[in-house]
C-alpha cells in the first residue's frame, strides 16, 4: 500500500485525481448502461449441445436481469446475431463485432471520468489472455477496449499495462484493491514493480492508495482461472466498507486465504487515510465439485442502477448471503441469477459485465 496523503477534495466530496485528471468512479454511481459480450466459441461456449445451451441461457439471464434496471449493449459476433436475439430481451441492444471470448469485464475498457465529472474516458488496458495462457486467444478481444470506448463516445486512454477490469476494484475516492498475482504476474507485466503499477494506475484511474492483496481464491489458479482476480474475493461496497469472501469451513483451502486477506484489509487505509470496516460474506456451503474445491463467491456481483445482480448457486447459503448484500447496498433490489455455469467456465456475473458511468450535469448531479 502506498503511503500518500489524500489529494484535495473534488466536487461532491470526491478525492481529486492526480496526474492526468481522470478518476474511476465507484460501481455504485449511476450508470448510462452496462456492456456485455455474447459467448460464441471456445471453452466458454462449450463443446456439447448442453454446454452451449447453458452458456447462452446464463449470459442471457444476466443481461435480461440487468436490462430491468438500465440499458444493456451486447457485443455479438455477426454470425450469432440471430441466436442472441432469440435469447435476449428486446430492449438489449446488439452490437456486431468479432470476438474471441465473452468476458467483457476483462476485455472491455475501464471507464473513468474527468475530475468535474463532465467528460468520459475509457482506459484501454493491454489484454493478453490473462497472462498469455495456453488455451486463450485474444486477437479480436485485444481490440474490444478501444472499440467499446469509441462507441460510448469516450476519450480512449491507452495504457501499456497488461490488466483486466476484474483485477481492480475502486471506491471512487482514489482507493484501488488489486492482487500481487495479477498485476505483477510475469505473464502479464514481467519486470514491473509495485511502484510502476501504482504510477500507471494513478495516471489512468486516479489511484492514490493501492491496497495490494497477496492473492486470490484457490480455484482461480487452475487451468481456466485468472491467477487471482480481486473481483471474486473482495469489493468496496461504499467508502470505508469492504465486502470479503468468507470461507467458513476449515477444510476448504480458501478458509486460510480469507483469514489472510482479512488481516491485510483490516490493516490497510484508504485514500482518505481511514481504516476499513471489513464485512464477511459467507461462501456457499458447497465445498467441491468434480474438479476440486469450488471458488463460488457472492462477491462477484454487479451493482446496477437501483439494484444488485447477484450470483446464486442453488445453495442453502444463497438467501443469507444475498441478505448481506442487501444490507451493504441499502435501497437497491437484489436479484439473483444462477451463476454455476459461469463459474464452471472460470468467472461470475461481474466478470461478464462492464458498467459505463453516467456523466455529471452542470449542477454536479449525474445526468
Amino acid at each position: 500500500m502506498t503511503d500518500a496523503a489524500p489529494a484535495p477534495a473534488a466536487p461532491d466530496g470526491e478525492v481529486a485525481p492526480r496526474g492526468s485528471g481522470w478518476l474511476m468512479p465507484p460501481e455504485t454511481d449511476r450508470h448510462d448502461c452496462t456492456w456485455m459480450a455474447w459467448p460464441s466459441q471456445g471453452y466458454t461456449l462449450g463443446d456439447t449441445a448442453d454446454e452451449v445451451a447453458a452458456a447462452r441461457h446464463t449470459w442471457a439471464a444476466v443481461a435480461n436481469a440487468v436490462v430491468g434496471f438500465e440499458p444493456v449493449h451486447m457485443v455479438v459476433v455477426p454470425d450469432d446475431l440471430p441466436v442472441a436475439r432469440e435469447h435476449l430481451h428486446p430492449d438489449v441492444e446488439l452490437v456486431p463485432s468479432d470476438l474471441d471470448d465473452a468476458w467483457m469485464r476483462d476485455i472491455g475498457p475501464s471507464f473513468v471520468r474527468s475530475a468535474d465529472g463532465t467528460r468520459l474516458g475509457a482506459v484501454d488496458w493491454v489484454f493478453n489472455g490473462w497472462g498469455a495462457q495456453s488455451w486463450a486467444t485474444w486477437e479480436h478481444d485485444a481490440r474490444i477496449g478501444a472499440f467499446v470506448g469509441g462507441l460510448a463516445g469516450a476519450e480512449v486512454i491507452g495504457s501499456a499495462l497488461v490488466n483486466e477490469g476484474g483485477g481492480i476494484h475502486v471506491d471512487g475516492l482514489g482507493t484501488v484493491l488489486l492482487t500481487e498475482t495479477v498485476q505483477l504476474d510475469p505473464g502479464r507485466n514481467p519486470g514491473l514493480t509495485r511502484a510502476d503499477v501504482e504510477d500507471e494506475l494513478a495516471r489512468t484511474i486516479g489511484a492514490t492508495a493501492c491496497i495490494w492483496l497477496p492473492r486470490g481464491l484457490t480455484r482461480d489458479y487452475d487451468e481456466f482461472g485468472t491467477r487471482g482476480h480481486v473481483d471474486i474475493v473482495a469489493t468496496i461496497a461504499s467508502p470505508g466498507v469492504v465486502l470479503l469472501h468468507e470461507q467458513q469451513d476449515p477444510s476448504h483451502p480458501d478458509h486460510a486465504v480469507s483469514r489472510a486477506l482479512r488481516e491485510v484489509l483490516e490493516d490497510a487505509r484508504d485514500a482518505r487515510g481511514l481504516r476499513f470496516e471489513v464485512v464477511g460474506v459467507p461462501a456457499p456451503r458447497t465445498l467441491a465439485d468434480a474438479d476440486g474445491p469450488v471458488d463460488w463467491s457472492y462477491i462477484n456481483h454487479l451493482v446496477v442502477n437501483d439494484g444488485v445482480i447477484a450470483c446464486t448457486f442453488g445453495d442453502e447459503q444463497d438467501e443469507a448471503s444475498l441478505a448481506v448484500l442487501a444490507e451493504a447496498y441499502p435501497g437497491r433490489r437484489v436479484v439473483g441469477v444462477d451463476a454455476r455455469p459461469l463459474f464452471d467456465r472460470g468467472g461470475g456475473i461481474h466478470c461478464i459485465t462492464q458498467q459505463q458511468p453516467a456523466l455529471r450535469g452542470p449542477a454536479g448531479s449525474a445526468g
Side-chain angles (χ1 to χ4, degrees):
M1 183 178 69
T2 54
D3 295 321
D12 297 331
E14 292 180 350
V15 173
R18 296 180 176 181
S20 66
W22 296 108
L23 181 67
M24 185 172 174
E27 203 168 296
T28 50
D29 268 20
R30 299 295 294 182
H31 303 169
D32 272 347
C33 64
T34 288
W35 291 86
M36 297 181 64
W38 185 252
S40 58
Q41 62 181 334
Y43 85 95
T44 301
L45 185 62
D47 297 321
T48 69
D50 286 347
E51 289 173 343
V52 169
R56 289 171 173 169
H57 172 80
T58 306
W59 259 259
V62 172
N64 295 341
V66 175
V67 83
F69 296 88
E70 61 189 63
V72 175
H73 304 306
M74 180 74 74
V75 179
V76 184
V77 171
D79 287 348
D80 273 1
L81 287 168
V83 70
R85 186 76 283 161
E86 290 174 5
H87 284 76
L88 294 166
H89 188 283
D91 288 345
V92 176
E93 180 187 358
L94 304 188
V95 179
S97 177
D98 290 331
L99 291 165
D100 296 293
D101 224 316
W103 305 95
M104 182 56 81
R105 177 68 51 178
D106 296 344
I107 65 177
S110 294
F111 286 102
V112 294
R113 292 190 302 226
S114 57
D116 63 2
T118 62
R119 293 187 297 125
L120 184 68
V123 181
D124 181 23
W125 311 110
V126 175
F127 178 74
N128 74 344
W130 302 277
Q133 302 219 40
S134 60
W135 45 265
T137 59
W138 55 91
E139 175 188 0
H140 304 300
D141 286 353
R143 303 187 183 109
I144 291 297
F147 174 73
V148 167
L151 291 179
E155 179 180 332
V156 177
I157 303 159
S159 176
L161 185 70
V162 179
N163 188 38
E164 303 95 33
I168 54 175
H169 257 314
V170 303
D171 65 356
L173 304 177
T175 313
V176 60
L177 303 180
L178 66 170
T179 56
E180 295 177 5
T181 57
V182 171
Q183 285 78 19
L184 301 182
D185 176 13
R188 288 177 167 96
N189 297 299
L192 290 194
T193 65
R194 281 192 182 192
D196 295 329
V197 173
E198 291 179 3
D199 285 347
E200 182 63 354
L201 293 177
R203 184 186 74 86
T204 53
I205 66 171
T208 57
C210 294
I211 299 173
W212 290 90
L213 303 181
R215 56 164 296 147
L217 299 182
T218 302
R219 183 72 166 264
D220 203 20
Y221 296 88
D222 285 358
E223 181 181 8
F224 295 116
T226 69
R227 300 175 185 162
H229 270 186
V230 74
D231 70 349
I232 200 172
V233 68
T235 187
I236 305 175
S238 59
V241 179
V242 170
L243 303 182
L244 174 66
H245 179 80
E246 185 175 76
Q247 176 52 253
Q248 299 178 329
D249 192 312
S251 70
H252 193 293
D254 286 334
H255 177 72
V257 173
S258 296
R259 294 185 65 176
L261 296 180
R262 175 177 283 276
E263 290 180 4
V264 173
L265 289 166
E266 288 181 341
D267 190 51
R269 294 182 182 271
D270 67 13
R272 304 167 299 175
L274 302 178
R275 293 190 185 278
F276 290 101
E277 175 190 358
V278 181
V279 178
V281 182
R285 299 183 198 180
T286 301
L287 300 179
D289 60 13
D291 296 317
V294 297
D295 60 354
W296 296 355
S297 173
Y298 302 105
I299 297 299
N300 200 262
H301 54 269
L302 174 71
V303 181
V304 293
N305 293 337
D306 304 314
V308 178
I309 311 303
C311 298
T312 60
F313 303 96
D315 189 275
E316 57 184 330
Q317 183 63 39
D318 285 352
E319 183 177 354
S321 287
L322 264 59
V324 176
L325 297 184
E327 185 174 352
Y329 300 106
R332 297 179 190 265
R333 180 163 60 94
V334 179
V335 175
V337 176
D338 189 343
R340 284 173 289 185
L342 295 174
F343 278 79
D344 287 345
R345 291 160 172 79
I349 289 173
H350 196 256
C351 304
I352 68 170
T353 54
Q354 179 62 265
Q355 73 279 355
Q356 178 184 323
L359 294 178
R360 298 186 185 277
S365 59

